[in-house]
Amino acid sequence: MTATTSLSDKKMGIKDFIYAGVFGAIYIVLVLIIMIGSSAISPILYFIAPLIVGLVCSTVYMYCMLKVHKFGTALIFGVLFTVTACYQSLYAIFFSLAAALTAELILFLGNYKSQKMYLLSFAFFNLNMSAPTILLLFNYERFMSLAEKHRGFAYAQSIAKLALNGKIWYAILCCAVIGGIGGAFITKNLVKKYFEKNEAV
């Protein structure tokens, strides 16, 4: 029995919660930097931020999942993201938590010892990056109102020119998918080395 197998059967302890919380906070800080920075530069970059986040933040997510490899770690990341970025919409909250839960269940189904499941987990987890903008699809007017409130009338108008009455959300979702897949490829070697190290123990 490998170290990974034995540890995966245990519940998260205080140290695990702390570890997941710290790395979750690092993940959130990086996400906010990318989202705020991209929106300040251009509305186009704001819309493709899910792709950028997937590529940049995948290592933080994967390192924490591999280190703790117990049920609840991906959910902690998801809850932190939801509280930080999705509080203005029930649609966003449900979508974000669903993405995190799916990522967690994928790890669970792989018994926290499947390399492919770790990579697939992040691909699904990154879908939550499209959650904050889901109002574009379900309540376009409210999204534009919030954009004007937080960024000003001129910025809201520049978003409106690109938003296609909310249909651009599908492109944002595609960026999240591509970012998740790209991030999984970036962390592929990290996952491989981790399992090779544990198999040698």
Side-chain angles (χ1 to χ4, degrees), residues 12-82:
M12 290 183 69
I14 295 177
K15 289 184 178 180
D16 297 317
F17 278 107
I18 294 174
Y19 201 91
V22 169
F23 272 81
I26 294 173
Y27 172 86
I28 294 301
V29 169
L30 289 174
V31 168
L32 290 177
I33 290 173
I34 293 170
M35 292 179 67
I36 295 173
S38 61
S39 66
I41 296 173
S42 166
I44 296 177
L45 285 180
Y46 173 69
F47 287 140
I48 66 172
L51 190 157
I52 300 171
V53 168
L55 300 179
V56 174
C57 300
S58 57
T59 303
V60 177
Y61 173 90
M62 197 64 69
Y63 186 84
C64 187
M65 298 306 118
L66 291 170
K67 183 70 175 179
V68 179
H69 49 76
K70 297 175 184 176
F71 188 87
T73 313
L75 280 175
I76 289 175
F77 270 59
V79 169
L80 288 174
F81 177 82
T82 302

Side-chain angles (χ1 to χ4, degrees), residues 93-112:
I93 291 172
F94 290 140
F95 188 90
S96 179
L97 291 178
L101 180 59
T102 302
E104 188 69 69
L105 290 176
I106 288 171
L107 292 173
F108 178 78
L109 291 174
N111 199 28
Y112 299 90

